[in-house]
Amino acid sequence: MTLKTVAARLGVSAATVSNAFNRPDQLSQARREEILAAAAALGYHGPDSRGRMLRTGRSGIIAMLLAENLFYSLSDSVASELIAGVAAQLDQHGHSLMLLPGRLEQTTGGVDMADGIIVYGLHGASSHILDLIAGRPAVAIDIDLPGIAAVNIDNYPASLALTRHALRQPPRRVAIVGLRLTQSHVGQVGLDALLSADLTITRRRLDGIFKALTEAAIDPSSVALWNIDQNTYDGCVPVVAELLDQPAATRPDLLICLSDRIALTAIDLAERRGLRVPADLRITGFDGIAEGQQRRPRLTTVRQDSAAKGRLAAAMLLDLEPRRSRTLETELLIGDSAP
């Protein structure tokens, strides 16, 4: 049974049957479902992907090179929302999504199959990535690569605005808990260990915080800076617990966290220690995940639309949008954790 045979049996053009399988946006949903059901009844379940690839040189597959392993990426609220945005755009236009974990030495085969590549997040040396994706259409998300269009958010001005808000009530002591600010060190870190802004988006957030601190006559080098490597509850607990278990005389009363997961972990651990948020400890996050807005105290944070980032990156890769770098705006959310 071939596509042409199915078209003849159904009394439609081969292009119509092809569109039902390959270009669903060209047909109404009802018409497409009607054709797919009739084709299935005839024993035809779609074009042979291997034959199509040989004929057209295209697989219909978009690869997404993740910053972390698959389990982490699908568990993390921000990453999973972004992946869903990519998938929604690809679904609409008849493409498949291949997720590749962030271990570059294991991804070559998957990249070779793809019509295009989305590179998401921190990956280390950009030269390695550029070699891997050479010759294929590519779009980056949350990372800057030479010659590659990127989708980012306004990390610097967003964190600047958030910190300015937090500093409207002058703190006694400030601490910052960052995410992947260094190559590997977890715990309290010095400024000399920080990665550059082109390697990690959280460095741009940190620079916005430093700007606001300087405006408030607080020397950034005098502020305790802590680093977390994994944006999970278990990854945050050891660092945040050590910070909160300091003597009252040195414990911060304003904690600026570079992700909502860090901030929510801090709220949980603070409450377990009898610290009142925000009376004893004011806390800010970054990302705007649903959990932070549904619990009490509601988190003060910056909301980014991760699904929109994913949809835009996929649209750019499919040539539905111009392939040029974009910076999406964010929204400052004033909650109860730092009113």
Side-chain angles (χ1 to χ4, degrees), residues 48-302:
D48 188 307
S49 59
R50 293 167 298 178
R52 178 175 61 186
M53 189 171 179
L54 289 172
R55 290 192 306 272
T56 66
R58 299 182 66 81
S59 64
I61 295 172
I62 298 300
M64 187 170 181
L65 186 57
L66 301 167
E68 300 286 349
N69 61 48
L70 295 178
F71 177 80
Y72 176 88
S73 299
L74 295 174
S75 302
D76 179 70
S77 298
V78 176
S80 61
E81 185 179 340
L82 186 141
I83 293 168
V86 171
Q89 187 70 270
L90 297 183
D91 282 348
Q92 186 178 352
H93 296 279
H95 285 69
S96 299
L97 175 62
M98 176 190 298
L99 297 177
L100 300 174
R103 297 184 295 275
L104 297 183
E105 68 278 2
Q106 300 180 16
T107 61
T108 304
V111 169
D112 289 343
M113 295 175 58
D115 294 334
I117 315 292
I118 294 174
V119 182
Y120 173 44
L122 176 66
H123 282 274
S126 63
S127 59
H128 194 163
I129 306 174
L130 294 173
D131 289 343
L132 189 67
I133 66 178
R136 290 179 176 80
V139 174
I141 302 176
D142 288 348
I143 183 174
D144 291 323
L145 297 171
I148 304 297
V151 178
N152 290 297
I153 61 169
D154 55 350
N155 285 285
Y156 178 87
S159 62
L160 175 60
L162 177 64
T163 309
R164 281 172 173 167
H165 166 78
L167 293 174
R168 290 173 60 186
Q169 179 178 323
R172 296 187 304 276
R173 286 169 299 280
V174 182
I176 302 169
V177 185
L179 177 64
R180 302 189 193 97
L181 291 170
T182 73
Q183 194 65 45
S184 59
H185 185 76
V186 173
Q188 193 163 2
V189 297
L191 298 182
D192 56 339
L194 301 181
L195 293 170
S196 61
D198 62 335
L199 289 178
T200 174
I201 59 169
T202 51
R203 177 58 192 271
R204 298 171 192 167
R205 297 176 189 176
L206 184 63
D207 289 343
I209 295 169
F210 283 173
K211 171 65 172 175
L213 290 172
T214 302
E215 291 176 348
I218 300 173
D219 182 358
S221 65
S222 69
V223 173
L225 178 60
W226 303 69
N227 185 61
I228 286 172
D229 187 51
Q230 289 287 322
N231 194 37
T232 62
Y233 181 83
D234 290 340
C236 295
V237 164
V239 172
V240 175
E242 182 180 353
L243 190 160
L244 294 181
D245 286 340
Q246 295 179 97
T250 58
R251 189 174 58 229
D253 61 326
L254 173 60
L255 188 58
I256 301 174
C257 303
L258 272 63
S259 83
D260 279 1
R261 177 54 54 207
I262 299 171
L264 290 171
T265 303
I267 292 175
D268 178 55
L269 296 185
E271 291 176 341
R272 293 187 187 188
R273 286 158 172 76
L275 297 173
R276 299 166 299 164
V277 179
D280 301 321
L281 176 63
R282 298 164 64 239
I283 298 174
T284 66
F286 197 109
D287 288 326
I289 64 175
E291 182 183 348
Q293 300 306 299
Q294 293 167 354
R295 66 152 294 156
R296 293 294 179 268
R298 188 166 59 87
L299 187 60
T300 294
T301 186
V302 167

Side-chain angles (χ1 to χ4, degrees), residues 10-12 16 20 27-36:
L10 299 181
V12 299
T16 298
L27 301 173
S28 69
Q29 183 68 20
R31 181 60 168 156
R32 179 174 185 255
E33 291 177 356
E34 177 187 349
I35 292 173
L36 293 179

